[in-house]
Amino acid sequence: MSDTRISPASVSAAATAADHRPVGPARPARNGLFRMARTVVALMLREISTSYGRSAGGYVWALADPILGIALLTAVFQGAMGNTRPLIGTNFPLFYASGYLVFQMYHDIGNKVAQSLRFSRPLLAYPAVTFVDALIARLILNTVTHVIVFAVVIGGIAMIFRLPMVMDVSTVLRALGLTALFGAGVGTMNCFLSMRFPVWERAWSILSRPLFLMSGIFYTYGLMPRAVQEVLWWNPILQLVGLMRRGIYSVYPADYVSEGYIVSLSLVLLASGLLLIWRRYRDLLEMV
């Protein structure tokens, strides 16, 4: 029987070769991104089946809610108040839709993101599911839902009333994207505040009610007195509505809109909310 001995030199050579073997850091990164994407999709499918899949009316209400709201505004301002023309353009439903859909998108995304951890709390006990996955899943699902609602409602108005619409698609998409970003920022911050301080959820519901009247849904920024304009300018939703109307109406310049202000405020809220949740993540889950 032959005696096979391993010399120290051969061990050193093997270790040197192993050290120079290509490691490829991209592979774990790809696996991590794939795992995160799979988790986010699973959370989205769970919410679809939970929120919309229990009955056919769940999907119908996503369209019925804005349609009824726009119809009510049209009936009030065109019928009861006797207005003959909207402040921009010639069609009342289109004018109110350009503001109402933006406000509803911000409001719904903000509320859904704010309750992400409560909604997905049973799944957050698994190591594969993080609070970031829960936030992203709700943000993507509700953003896609509202983009579809926007396309259906605006397209339906154009077809029913036979409007020769020439939209600036890039501006409309920017308005939708910034609305989703601002809703995510507000929702993430409120997610922390409402879990850390339970009274905040009720307080925010009361404090945010005037936003519907302050966001330019049924009036334009330019018609307000100068003193009122200086206060309203700081409302990001009013600027988002103005940006949307700039994209829908080629004659509406909306010079007061500052996209940089909207992005900066949204990112500050988003980053602050994520940092606060990350630092108190486990404590917050125990408070629910």
Side-chain angles (χ1 to χ4, degrees):
M1 182 173 59
S2 60
D3 185 12
T4 303
R5 296 182 179 180
I6 302 177
S7 64
S10 62
V11 173
S12 176
T16 303
D19 291 339
H20 289 83
R21 189 179 302 162
V23 177
R27 185 175 181 181
R30 285 199 303 268
N31 291 340
L33 290 176
F34 175 75
R35 187 182 304 111
M36 181 178 183
R38 186 174 58 182
T39 302
V40 169
V41 171
L43 291 173
M44 291 170 60
L45 294 175
R46 173 178 177 265
E47 179 165 357
I48 290 173
S49 62
T50 302
S51 302
Y52 301 104
R54 290 179 178 176
S55 63
Y59 296 98
V60 175
W61 183 249
L63 284 171
D65 186 14
I67 292 174
L68 292 175
I70 294 165
L72 178 61
L73 289 174
T74 301
V76 170
F77 286 92
Q78 184 179 13
M81 300 187 66
N83 292 351
T84 58
R85 290 175 62 90
L87 298 177
I88 308 175
T90 60
N91 185 267
F92 277 93
L94 181 62
F95 175 75
Y96 296 128
S98 63
Y100 186 85
L101 293 175
V102 172
F103 180 85
Q104 189 192 39
M105 182 178 182
Y106 145 76
H107 185 263
D108 194 32
I109 290 177
N111 286 344
K112 291 294 180 61
V113 172
Q115 299 189 13
S116 296
L117 299 190
R118 292 179 181 177
F119 183 80
S120 301
R121 186 180 184 277
L123 301 178
L124 293 174
Y126 297 96
V129 182
T130 67
F131 72 91
V132 177
D133 298 330
L135 294 171
I136 292 177
R138 282 212 137 183
L139 172 61
I140 293 177
L141 176 60
N142 289 280
T143 298
V144 171
T145 299
H146 282 278
V147 170
I148 294 173
V149 169
F150 176 86
V152 171
V153 173
I154 296 296
I157 292 174
M159 292 179 59
I160 292 172
F161 295 95
R162 299 180 181 179
L163 301 178
M165 295 182 59
V166 182
M167 292 194 306
D168 185 347
V169 178
S170 63
T171 302
V172 170
L173 291 178
R174 288 204 313 275
L176 293 172
L178 291 177
T179 302
L181 179 62
F182 182 63
V186 173
T188 304
M189 179 58 73
N190 282 340
C191 182
F192 169 77
L193 293 175
S194 61
M195 296 181 71
R196 181 66 180 83
F197 310 101
V199 71
W200 174 253
E201 186 173 2
R202 180 62 61 87
W204 175 253
S205 176
I206 297 173
L207 293 173
S208 61
R209 286 175 185 173
L211 286 177
F212 185 80
L213 301 176
M214 298 171 60
S215 298
I217 297 173
F218 44 86
Y219 61 87
T220 59
Y221 177 81
L223 291 179
M224 296 293 102
R226 182 65 179 176
V228 177
Q229 288 182 1
E230 293 178 357
V231 176
L232 291 178
W233 187 89
W234 297 98
N235 179 7
I237 310 172
L238 180 135
Q239 297 204 24
L240 290 168
V241 170
L243 184 62
M244 177 60 73
R245 285 176 174 159
R246 178 196 293 173
I248 293 178
Y249 299 99
S250 58
V251 297
Y252 187 64
D255 297 331
Y256 59 90
V257 174
S258 173
E259 297 182 42
Y261 166 67
I262 300 172
V263 172
S264 300
L265 180 60
S266 302
L267 292 179
V268 167
L269 291 172
L270 182 61
S272 301
L274 289 174
L275 179 61
L276 291 170
I277 294 174
W278 174 72
R279 293 187 63 181
R280 303 293 300 273
Y281 176 49
R282 295 301 174 188
D283 295 337
L284 293 176
L285 290 182
E286 293 177 359
M287 294 178 182
V288 178

